[in-house]
Amino acid sequence: MKDWIDAYNGRDWQTTTDGTVRYALLGLGWWTIDLALPAIQDSDLGEVTTFVSSSSEKAKRLADENGVDHGISYEEFHDGKASDAFDAIYIGTPNAFHLEYAKTAAELDKAILCEKPMESTVERAEEMVEVCEDAAVPLMIAYRMQTDPAVRRAKELIEDGFIGEPVSVYGNNSQPLLEMNPNTDQWRLDPDLSGYGTSVMDLGIYSINTTRFLLEREPLAVQSQMDSHGEAFEDVPDERSGALLALEDGVKMVTTDSQNAHRDTQLKITGTDGQIELRPAFHGKAKLHLSRNETTVTVEHENFDAEDEMREEFDYFADRVLTDAEIVPDGRHGLQDMRIIRAIHEAAESSDVVEL
Amino acid sequence: MKDWIDAYNGRDWQTTTDGTVRYALLGLGWWTIDLALPAIQDSDLGEVTTFVSSSSEKAKRLADENGVDHGISYEEFHDGKASDAFDAIYIGTPNAFHLEYAKTAAELDKAILCEKPMESTVERAEEMVEVCEDAAVPLMIAYRMQTDPAVRRAKELIEDGFIGEPVSVYGNNSQPLLEMNPNTDQWRLDPDLSGYGTSVMDLGIYSINTTRFLLEREPLAVQSQMDSHGEAFEDVPDERSGALLALEDGVKMVTTDSQNAHRDTQLKITGTDGQIELRPAFHGKAKLHLSRNETTVTVEHENFDAEDEMREEFDYFADRVLTDAEIVPDGRHGLQDMRIIRAIHEAAESSDVVEL
């Protein structure tokens, strides 16, 4: 146990401590400014040199306020301005804009760390994969759970037989979106910008992707239900959703997600011989609950929050870019989530089982 | 809070402290002998006068060992032997035998407390309802969660708006059946005796019924998946199962159940404004977790176990029988669970949405 705790937040993925990836950050909302920026500043292998926003005035003002060298507009970014100053871009914009920035980054031969879901539709995500593969630029989708120590230790334990054969999975990710951002015109409620919808695209993706990563089993078929009740949600089909996913080896996965519910995140994997649970699961401060025989161990990693999750993610990305190594959550990995999310939406609309 | 705690295990349902219901217990397995018998002995309004088993020898021996007056065979029970000695029967036999004992009890004008699920099929459950209604004998299905203080307090809080509008429900009930009873010929794995299957009939029924009771909302449509993997489960379709239920008002309910998995019970109801959770949920020692705003309260009712659950259930039944009052979990209430369980099995077989 002593060794296990001492190694708990060790970076089993790290292969280099040399070099620096210089970032341009696109999409200067609170997430980018308050979390991504300090995460990179706190990282070993990254620094922020460039801010990109809707106008050069806004970008310059925010760059000055945050001690960043360059502030440019999206137009200037597409024109290659300041492109000598960065090696990689971080895309934190609304989903439907990811592709156009990835295209320009590919032209400029820059590595890309793109927020999840990777785009608004499967087709646009496919195009992003092709563009990046054709240009041979590294593309990582920002699944920060995959470098969260709680998730990595959970994965090791599952591989070590801790839970026996996996039997069932439950994931929930719910939050009161309008309490967090009262603007009813926000992009997460606009299908032109968010894509298929809001609760599965924005929240359910955490349960889906983390389960794929932990169990290394893919969904084969999905069934689902979704609906919207409040006025603010009238343009999206899934203010709330529930899904039943058949994973490989007969693992039964059930999920619920809502953008208009009490905040709660839980991911629970039950096996023949034990259970591993993350609760809270997502958005920082993940707590790991390990049950086997009559014993439950709860592992709390004090002060590890969403910014720390982002730091680990950025350093993983930089490590892979600097060593030209394979990225696990790459474009094809993210594309599979897009296909799963589309299938969940199709299943809700048709009431049919949708196979993948 | 002081008043709330003091009233926590109060019997809000109790209407009389006078009178005694004398029971015949049918099905003398460990559940009846180790839990039902002491529960009645510990109750205010009940006493056990008669044991009924496969042979009069076995019944007499167990009656003697446990200080019970009469020990008779099922045949003798059907012939009316010792029927002056009891007012009610408790049916704790395999599911497929419930109807025949209920029929005789109705003929003998005895009240019936019948274990859940109430029978092996919808048709046999319907017949039980008819027989009891025609004979005007009280019939209660033994949903002991409905008189568990944790569940009753949860229901009051939901009615008081604690969670706002209900959004989603998650229920899990899993156990390692063969570790609890290594006999692979046990009746729970024999569809002739258990009915539609094993994990939904025996375990999922807890999530389904407790949710119906708590939310007063019925499932309108179900989708599900189930399969069996181990040799011992080859005769039943659902060693493990997952289901997605559409409840009234757009509430999304997801469940997982398994007879061959790590022991875990959880029932979680998430609303727009809060969350109420039972974990552990079933089989005694239910713990209540109440979350609203940023505050979570956990209520643990020390030493309240499955026997205490049974005592509350028996006294509720006796209270209703003695006062000739309406029973909430009556035959029609139990019949609805049978229809839901059948729908879940049909949905798994057809891969279709099955409406109720």
Side-chain angles (χ1 to χ4, degrees), chain B residues 91-102 114-121 124-125 128 141 187-203 205 259 338 341:
Chain B
I91 307 177
T93 67
N95 303 335
F97 299 140
H98 293 179
L99 175 59
E100 61 187 85
Y101 304 129
C114 177
E115 266 305 333
K116 70 198 166 308
M118 64 189 285
E119 245 288 349
S120 54
T121 66
R124 292 176 65 83
M128 190 191 298
I141 312 304
W187 71 264
R188 285 189 167 80
L189 301 177
D190 178 350
D192 290 339
L193 298 177
S194 69
Y196 299 111
T198 190
S199 82
V200 188
M201 286 288 275
D202 194 41
L203 301 173
I205 194 169
Q259 289 281 23
M338 293 298 302
I341 293 169

Side-chain angles (χ1 to χ4, degrees), chain A residues 166-168 170 172 174 223-227 229 240-242 244-246 249-252 254-256 258 260-262 264 266 268 270-275 277 279 291-293 351 353, chain B residues 166-168 170 172 174 223-227 229 240-242 244-246 249-252 254-256 258 260-262 264 266 268 270-275 277 279 291-293 351 353:
Chain A
V167 172
S168 65
Y170 163 65
N172 179 66
S174 57
Q223 294 169 284
S224 80
Q225 296 169 12
M226 52 181 64
D227 37 55
H229 300 253
R240 54 177 83 156
S241 61
L244 173 59
L245 297 89
D249 299 324
V251 178
K252 311 281 170 265
V254 294
T255 64
T256 49
S258 177
N260 185 18
H262 183 73
D264 177 64
Q266 183 178 2
K268 184 169 86 172
T270 306
T272 48
D273 301 332
Q275 187 174 70
E277 180 174 342
R279 191 178 192 192
S291 301
R292 194 172 149 84
N293 305 326
S351 295
V353 177
Chain B
V167 171
S168 66
Y170 163 65
N172 179 65
S174 58
Q223 293 169 284
S224 80
Q225 295 168 11
M226 52 181 65
D227 38 56
H229 300 252
R240 55 177 81 158
S241 60
L244 173 60
L245 297 90
D249 299 324
V251 177
K252 311 282 170 262
V254 295
T255 64
T256 48
S258 178
N260 186 18
H262 183 73
D264 177 64
Q266 183 178 2
K268 184 170 86 173
T270 306
T272 49
D273 301 332
Q275 188 174 69
E277 180 174 342
R279 191 177 191 192
S291 302
R292 195 172 148 84
N293 306 326
S351 296
V353 177

Side-chain angles (χ1 to χ4, degrees), chain B residues 278-298:
Chain B
L278 292 156
R279 191 177 191 192
F282 314 124
H283 321 312
K285 300 188 192 296
K287 220 189 262 192
L288 191 57
H289 307 262
L290 310 170
S291 302
R292 195 172 148 84
N293 306 326
E294 309 290 305
T295 305
T296 294
V297 171
T298 298

